[in-house]
Amino acid sequence: MRLGHTIEDSRKKYPEITDEILDCLQKWANDRGLPNIPKEQLALFAHSCYFDIEATRRCMNVYYSMRATIPELFNNRDSNLDLQHSLKTLEFAILPKPDRNGNWIIINRLADPRPSQFIFNDSIKLLFMSYDASLYTNGCSEGYIILMDMAKMRLGHLTRLSMNTLRKSLEYVQGGVPLRLKGIYMVNATWLMDKVIALMRPFMKQEFFEIVS
């Protein structure tokens, strides 16, 4: 598999990405029956964990195990076939340039305010697809910021949430996504923000909780 960037692109920005690190991670993957992983992908894992080998191995373990065992979030991701409804009710965008600190910004919001049209699993699936698309294209970068526009959120949307999916998605974001998540900001928030945070809090590590506002 070829990604939309090269290992040379990542090494120009982060010379810490050495053959020694990549070979070590590939050997670890081979010992666990994982397929040959592109160097670009291994670099993403190492970079996201600030080149801590043990932390990188834990990240890889979460990434591959969860993507293999949570079909509701990682299967049927063809936007032309499986997600047409949610693509009309949800909007996702990756800004074309990073901010002045080098962070890529992903924005998501409701296009349709009707709770009856909201499919929570699809919203998480599309968010994760946004992560993948940016990592595929941009490779290693300083970090990511998520902006969640809550202007059209209603109380009825909260009744559409799946606590099981919320738990799994937060476990994946906190332990398996190969990017440096710098902040999650809820804009145009109402009193519902407190309800959303309360639902998420039992599944959030303290360091993750501190970057949500």
Side-chain angles (χ1 to χ4, degrees):
M1 182 183 73
R2 295 186 62 185
L3 277 71
H5 64 280
T6 67
I7 189 65
E8 288 75 20
D9 295 332
S10 294
R11 279 177 164 159
K12 286 177 183 177
K13 294 186 287 185
Y14 300 97
E16 300 96 326
I17 301 170
T18 64
D19 286 335
E20 181 182 2
I21 287 177
L22 301 183
D23 291 344
C24 177
L25 295 176
Q26 185 60 67
K27 182 180 184 303
W28 179 89
N30 291 343
D31 290 345
R32 283 150 185 79
L34 293 172
N36 192 53
I37 301 171
K39 289 183 177 181
E40 292 82 0
Q41 184 72 29
L42 292 172
L44 288 170
F45 285 120
H47 169 268
S48 71
C49 297
Y50 297 88
F51 308 104
D52 180 318
I53 295 297
E54 288 304 316
T56 302
R57 289 170 175 166
R58 291 193 296 270
C59 178
M60 292 173 66
N61 185 60
V62 172
Y63 177 91
Y64 286 107
S65 62
M66 295 196 78
R67 289 175 80 103
T69 57
I70 311 178
E72 64 270 28
L73 297 182
F74 296 108
N75 288 2
N76 302 319
R77 305 208 306 172
D78 188 331
S79 60
N80 292 319
L81 297 175
D82 307 303
L83 297 167
Q84 277 299 299
H85 173 80
S86 289
L87 285 170
K88 295 176 182 176
T89 60
L90 301 162
E91 294 179 335
F92 289 83
I94 304 169
L95 296 190
K97 294 182 179 180
D99 68 11
R100 61 184 179 181
N101 296 315
N103 298 309
W104 291 96
I105 298 175
I106 298 177
I107 302 173
N108 67 84
R109 66 181 182 180
L110 290 164
D112 187 330
R114 294 174 295 173
S116 62
Q117 302 303 302
F118 177 62
I119 301 174
F120 181 59
N121 282 5
D122 281 3
S123 72
I124 300 297
K125 183 182 294 189
L126 286 166
L127 178 61
F128 290 169
M129 289 171 67
S130 298
Y131 291 165
D132 291 347
S134 185
L135 290 169
Y136 178 94
T137 302
N138 299 314
C140 299
S141 59
E142 186 59 30
Y144 279 80
I145 292 173
I146 310 301
L147 294 182
M148 304 176 64
D149 186 345
M150 300 183 69
K152 295 182 180 179
M153 177 168 278
R154 307 290 182 263
L155 182 60
H157 288 101
L158 299 186
T159 68
R160 308 278 291 179
L161 303 186
S162 160
M163 296 305 293
N164 189 42
T165 296
L166 184 63
R167 175 183 61 80
K168 291 177 180 178
S169 62
L170 285 171
E171 181 180 352
Y172 178 72
V173 168
Q174 294 174 92
V177 180
L179 54 77
R180 298 177 179 180
L181 188 58
K182 298 297 183 69
I184 300 176
Y185 300 98
M186 299 182 186
V187 300
N188 296 320
T190 65
W191 61 272
L192 283 174
M193 177 179 172
D194 292 337
K195 302 295 184 183
V196 173
I197 296 296
L199 291 172
M200 296 169 62
R201 188 65 181 96
F203 312 119
M204 297 164 71
K205 300 176 182 177
Q206 182 60 31
E207 58 267 29
F208 185 80
F209 177 70
E210 291 172 358
I211 66 170
V212 178
S213 62

